[in-house]
Amino acid sequence: MSNFGALLSNPSVWVQFPHTVLGGYTAAGFFVLGISAYHLARKTDPEFFKKSMQLSAIFGTAAVLLVMLVGHTQAQHMVRTQPMKMAAAEALWESENPASFSLLTITDQNTGKDLFSIRIPYLLSVLAYNRPSGEVRGMRDLQAEYEETYGAGNYIPSIAVSYWSFRVMIGAGLLMALVGAYVLYIMLKKKQFESMRFLKWIPLVLWLPYFANTAGWMLTEMGRQPWVVVGLLKTADAVSPNLKPGMVLTSLIGFTLLYGILMAADAYLLVKYAKAGPEAGGEPLEEKQTRRPTQDEAYLD
Ligand code: HEM
């Protein structure tokens, strides 16, 4: 790297960085919320989990609302800096002004034709420019322009991946905001969490930030193809000429195995301690559950 200042003053950093950090806070909030609901549904240590449910609902809801607010700014930035990514994420073949938002589109990337499409007029312009007009460029226009500027090639990323990852991220965000708002409503009404109608389903919410974060990452990386750096460096040119396919495959298998093992260990520990609850903190679980109280402890009891 020759200029660290240029990295910090890159406008993309100031939308991507907060979005990703807030995505992490959202994961923390809704993970704790899910575990708290799990224990409240089983009536284990209600006093403790009532407090953790309250705290995580406040923290998680604030984080998810902020991540969506920053995400909106990021999408507006994307329309200007990576218009092809937005066009693919919206399955938008032709440039439109005002531009419509896709509610559900099934398109055939090979023929360039939609098999099914329901679109909401004006909404994409509103999201892109905060007003009901403004051009959002389509994939056909951009493909023609890029061929002229960068030479022959296919500049359209996988539409299915871009389109669905965008929707999974936004959909998971909206669902978390809804669940967070519901828990806050119960709190403000001073009702018991145990009386909540959907309490036994709320633990499922802890999966949503994982879906949203993974989908966001897929949109960022795969929606940018065929580029590593848009307009400057293609993925095909970024591969080191000294590498052989066998070497890439071996390191890929190695990384997959290593991260797979780490993921399994992480999942095992998370499930173990989340199920055990606060009593498990500090000393080994089995020891605490099976050992008899010492004389001092028995005296204190
Ligand atoms: C209204 C909701 C949301 C909008 C409009 C939005 C918008 C975006 C956009 C446009 C990108 C791609 C940026 C780019 O490639 O330049 C992105 C990436 C991402 N989003 Fe979202 N997002 C939303 C909700 C969420 C939620 C709820 C989470 C997680 C809890 C999340 C986590 C991420 C992550 C981790 C990335 C990848 C960032 C990176 O690799 O730089 N997003 N988001």
Side-chain angles (χ1 to χ4, degrees):
M1 186 183 300
S2 57
N3 188 349
F4 189 65
L7 175 75
L8 291 183
S9 58
N10 179 344
S12 299
V13 170
W14 297 105
V15 279
Q16 274 184 344
F17 181 67
H19 193 64
T20 311
V21 171
L22 286 164
Y25 289 163
T26 305
F30 281 89
F31 187 84
V32 175
L33 194 147
I35 303 296
S36 307
Y38 169 87
H39 283 288
L40 283 172
R42 278 162 187 72
K43 301 191 171 44
T44 39
D45 210 339
E47 273 320 299
F48 179 89
F49 285 110
K50 200 179 142 200
K51 279 197 194 106
S52 69
M53 183 95 155
Q54 288 172 339
L55 273 176
S56 58
I58 296 169
F59 184 81
T61 313
V64 79
L65 291 178
L66 285 173
V67 84
M68 291 200 294
L69 192 71
V70 177
H72 173 58
T73 328
Q74 195 172 356
Q76 298 192 327
H77 183 75
M78 195 167 92
V79 171
R80 292 195 307 274
T81 55
Q82 299 184 71
M84 185 62 103
K85 193 186 270 182
M86 181 52 98
E90 278 303 312
L92 189 71
W93 284 104
E94 308 297 342
S95 301
E96 288 185 2
N97 185 2
S100 58
F101 177 86
S102 162
L103 203 57
L104 178 64
T105 302
I106 312 232
T107 199
D108 184 341
Q109 181 149 6
N110 296 323
T111 58
K113 286 203 174 82
D114 288 345
L115 307 175
F116 178 85
S117 189
I118 310 178
R119 305 191 74 94
I120 306 176
Y122 300 100
L123 188 56
L124 188 55
S125 288
V126 173
L127 294 174
Y129 303 106
N130 298 331
R131 56 182 156 83
S133 63
E135 186 187 46
V136 178
R137 299 187 64 198
M139 288 179 282
R140 266 193 257 281
D141 261 2
L142 290 163
Q143 168 69 24
E145 183 197 309
Y146 291 173
E147 273 184 31
E148 220 168 83
T149 318
Y150 307 112
N154 181 4
Y155 295 92
I156 302 180
S158 163
I159 301 174
V161 172
S162 312
Y163 182 88
W164 287 109
S165 54
F166 196 37
R167 271 147 193 81
V168 167
M169 176 179 63
I170 296 177
L174 290 173
L175 217 60
M176 283 187 272
L178 211 69
V179 173
Y182 175 50
V183 176
L184 289 178
Y185 168 80
I186 299 286
M187 265 170 71
L188 289 173
K189 285 269 161 192
K190 299 202 184 325
K191 290 188 185 172
Q192 293 295 323
F193 288 130
E194 287 86 340
S195 68
M196 280 164 77
R197 253 177 99 188
F198 305 109
L199 186 62
K200 69 174 185 201
W201 297 107
I202 290 183
L204 292 178
V205 82
L206 68 80
W207 289 100
L208 294 177
Y210 291 95
F211 292 148
N213 280 314
T214 310
W217 177 51
M218 285 170 73
L219 171 67
T220 301
E221 301 304 326
M222 293 179 72
R224 195 183 49 236
Q225 297 309 314
W227 299 101
V228 171
V229 184
V230 177
L232 288 178
L233 182 65
K234 285 190 179 160
T235 310
D237 302 326
V239 182
S240 161
N242 303 326
L243 274 182
K244 298 202 166 43
M247 292 155 84
V248 178
L249 189 67
T250 313
S251 62
L252 185 65
I253 293 173
F255 276 122
T256 308
L257 280 177
L258 180 70
Y259 281 102
I261 293 167
L262 286 175
M263 192 174 87
D266 184 38
Y268 169 77
L269 290 171
L270 283 176
V271 171
K272 177 175 166 176
Y273 285 102
K275 273 189 172 169
E279 290 303 311
E283 53 187 301
L285 197 56
E286 293 75 18
E287 195 187 317
K288 182 140 194 171
Q289 276 168 355
T290 54
R291 80 179 162 83
R292 297 165 68 86
T294 61
Q295 235 177 359
D296 284 356
E297 283 169 342
Y299 171 74
L300 284 172
D301 275 346

